[in-house]
Amino acid sequence: MAWVVALVLFAEALGTAALNWFLGVVVDRQDMSLAGLDPDVMSTSSKIGGIVFGLYFALCGLVALLVALRDRAPAGLGRVLLISAAVVHALLGAVTWGLVGPPAFLYMVVVLALVVLLLMTYDDRPEQPAAAGSGAAPGGGAGGGGSPVTPPAAPTAP
């Protein structure tokens, strides 16, 4: 699952950067202004935006790749990045329905579902126990060794 998410996010990173770069070149060659804006500024900002979003999606893809390689849930910044990628795809999906059409909306929803599924799949896994030589007390409490306290069994009816 994480392999698929990583592949999709890397492809999306490349596609986003390439599309914005192409749009920047088109604006640059048309040499027209939009509401008085300088075409060079629009071209440059499109290219910079493509690079920034491409790097963002590539970083999210790297987190998914690390999840796949380690076979562990993402933690810390990686988890935040994947959650933010899910939110970005939800927002882009809402916008693409009206601007681009149902196929783009469907793509955004599929990527959103994949990222959320990745986050939820690895959450259900129990954490690996600590190594035997780590010095952790078997009771897990601050009191040191001993077995954990278990509640008494309920009486059975005769």
Side-chain angles (χ1 to χ4, degrees), residues 14-107:
L14 183 63
T16 300
L19 177 66
N20 278 312
W21 193 271
F22 173 73
L23 290 175
V25 169
V26 167
V27 167
D28 198 26
R29 288 188 181 164
Q30 284 186 347
D31 202 27
M32 295 187 298
S33 76
L34 176 68
L37 293 174
D38 184 20
D40 292 330
V41 172
M42 290 190 305
S43 171
T44 305
S45 63
S46 176
K47 291 175 182 177
I48 290 172
I51 291 170
V52 167
F53 273 106
L55 289 174
Y56 166 72
F57 286 133
L59 187 60
C60 293
L62 180 65
V63 170
L65 183 65
L66 290 174
V67 168
L69 290 173
R70 295 176 180 168
D71 199 29
R72 264 194 341 230
L77 181 62
R79 185 170 188 79
V80 171
L81 277 172
L82 288 178
I83 291 171
S84 71
V87 171
V88 165
H89 282 90
L91 292 173
L92 287 177
V95 171
T96 57
W97 179 269
L99 294 177
V100 183
F105 170 77
L106 184 63
Y107 172 77

Side-chain angles (χ1 to χ4, degrees), residues 103-127:
F105 170 77
L106 184 63
Y107 172 77
M108 289 296 163
V109 169
V110 167
V111 176
L112 167 66
L114 285 172
V115 172
V116 170
L117 190 62
L118 170 71
L119 287 166
M120 292 180 68
T121 301
Y122 284 91
D123 269 354
D124 291 343
R125 294 183 175 189
E127 290 296 320

